[in-house]
Amino acid sequence: MSRVVLITGASSGIGKSMAQFLTQKGLQVYGTSRKAEMGEVRDGVTFVPMDVTDDESVRRGVDFILQQAGHIDVLVNNAGIGMVGSVEDSSPDEMKMQFETNYYGPVRTMQAVLPSMRERSSGYIINISSLAGLFGLPYRGVYSAAKYALNGLTEAARMELLQFGVHAVVLCPGDYKTAIKSSRIRVKKGDTSVYAEEFDKVHHLLNEELHHSGDPIEVAQTVWKIINKKSPKPYYISASTFQKFVVHLRYWLPTKAFQWLMMRNYKMLGK
């Protein structure tokens, strides 16, 4: 019997790569998209409509999969949005929107699938975080905050769930060639902000880094590696060699020195 995988946000980018890769590996993959028709099949992936910010939508989608497949072996929380702008310019409502998708979304899906996983004493929950969840990035502070929160939640859940044979894992991707730069949401006050000039410069550099990024299939390969381990690690990083080195620097260097290097990289030391 093939394993059943649920991937949120599977219609594009990293989520699409994961869904296609795992389908090719012989797994029964269900993907979510807000615009999907219930049960429609795309390239071997069965889609369910799901808005991770809506309790009923999540429950309805998970119930459909459980009725069709009988169980869910792996949940990959990939659905997310990116918001850019200074912390000062980010309104509470904009921050709430970021957290509704990137933090509460994974919470909703985890809580929906966990009862069936506990009953079977088996399961993997992989929460897709980001390198921005390991250190703050300028003008992506709210995004970093939501990913930091998701990391902490996953660490706690991991310790709670091991007794039931369920493994909760954080997977932090670096930059990959996706359409994320066109889908990032800029805070409304950004155009009139005192930070606008520097933001434009930093945001341009963030987008330029994507041109030199790898294939998102690497993230899918990491997911495959995780779900084939009896005892996976709490954290995995899928990124370029340079970005992995930057992560190590974050823990080797004093925070002030690391932040100086980050600001230098983003050309924020001109004043």
Side-chain angles (χ1 to χ4, degrees):
M1 181 172 58
S2 63
R3 286 179 288 177
V4 179
V5 182
L6 167 58
I7 302 173
T8 65
S11 61
S12 62
I14 290 175
K16 183 176 181 179
S17 291
M18 288 190 290
Q20 293 178 343
F21 181 83
L22 295 178
T23 297
Q24 292 167 3
K25 288 293 185 180
L27 278 61
Q28 186 176 354
V29 179
Y30 289 84
T32 78
S33 170
R34 285 176 296 179
K35 299 178 180 180
E37 295 293 329
M38 188 70 82
E40 70 171 291
V41 179
R42 307 177 192 171
D43 298 322
V45 179
T46 303
F47 274 82
V48 296
M50 184 183 292
D51 179 353
V52 297
T53 68
D54 181 84
D55 293 349
E56 178 59 25
S57 177
V58 171
R59 185 198 62 76
R60 187 166 55 245
V62 170
D63 284 351
F64 173 81
I65 297 170
L66 291 175
Q67 290 167 6
Q68 292 286 310
H71 61 279
I72 296 172
D73 298 290
V74 180
L75 166 64
V76 183
N77 275 313
N78 170 73
I81 58 174
M83 190 173 79
V84 292
S86 74
V87 172
E88 182 179 351
D89 291 331
S90 303
S91 71
D93 285 341
E94 288 171 321
M95 292 184 181
K96 289 175 183 177
M97 178 181 68
Q98 179 79 102
F99 271 77
E100 275 295 332
T101 301
N102 290 11
Y103 176 75
Y104 289 109
V107 171
R108 290 184 180 95
T109 54
M110 287 172 64
Q111 291 178 340
V113 305
L114 275 173
S116 64
M117 286 185 174
R118 283 191 294 97
E119 287 177 8
R120 299 181 75 243
S121 298
S122 175
Y124 292 82
I125 292 174
I126 302 173
N127 287 331
I128 303 298
S129 181
S130 168
L131 297 189
L134 302 175
F135 46 82
L137 287 175
Y139 301 106
R140 294 178 71 188
V142 180
Y143 178 81
S144 285
K147 294 299 188 180
Y148 265 93
L150 181 61
N151 293 357
L153 179 89
T154 310
E155 285 189 13
R158 178 180 182 274
M159 292 184 282
E160 297 167 359
L161 294 171
L162 282 174
Q163 63 180 312
F164 300 109
V166 179
H167 302 278
V169 176
V170 174
L171 171 52
C172 298
D175 292 323
Y176 285 98
K177 289 179 181 177
T178 67
I180 189 171
K181 70 178 181 180
S182 62
S183 61
R184 288 188 182 127
I185 300 169
R186 185 172 181 176
V187 298
K188 292 179 181 178
K189 192 179 177 182
D191 293 333
T192 59
S193 171
V194 297
Y195 300 92
E197 181 179 352
E198 186 176 70
F199 166 82
D200 288 339
K201 179 173 59 179
V202 172
H203 195 224
H204 174 74
L205 290 170
L206 281 170
N207 289 335
E208 281 296 304
E209 290 175 351
L210 292 175
H211 293 306
H212 310 289
S213 301
D215 191 321
I217 198 68
E218 293 177 9
V219 185
Q221 291 168 341
T222 305
V223 170
W224 176 249
K225 175 182 176 181
I226 293 169
I227 65 176
N228 282 291
K229 286 188 173 293
K230 291 183 178 180
S231 181
K233 298 183 294 186
Y235 277 85
Y236 286 82
I237 294 173
S238 180
S240 67
T241 301
F242 175 74
Q243 288 184 326
K244 288 179 180 178
F245 176 67
V246 172
V247 173
H248 287 302
L249 282 181
R250 171 65 182 87
Y251 297 101
W252 289 342
L253 293 176
T255 300
K256 187 175 181 180
F258 178 80
Q259 290 186 337
W260 182 86
L261 287 174
M262 292 292 290
M263 293 178 72
R264 182 183 180 194
N265 178 67
Y266 290 116
K267 305 185 188 307
M268 298 172 67
L269 297 173
K271 295 181 180 179

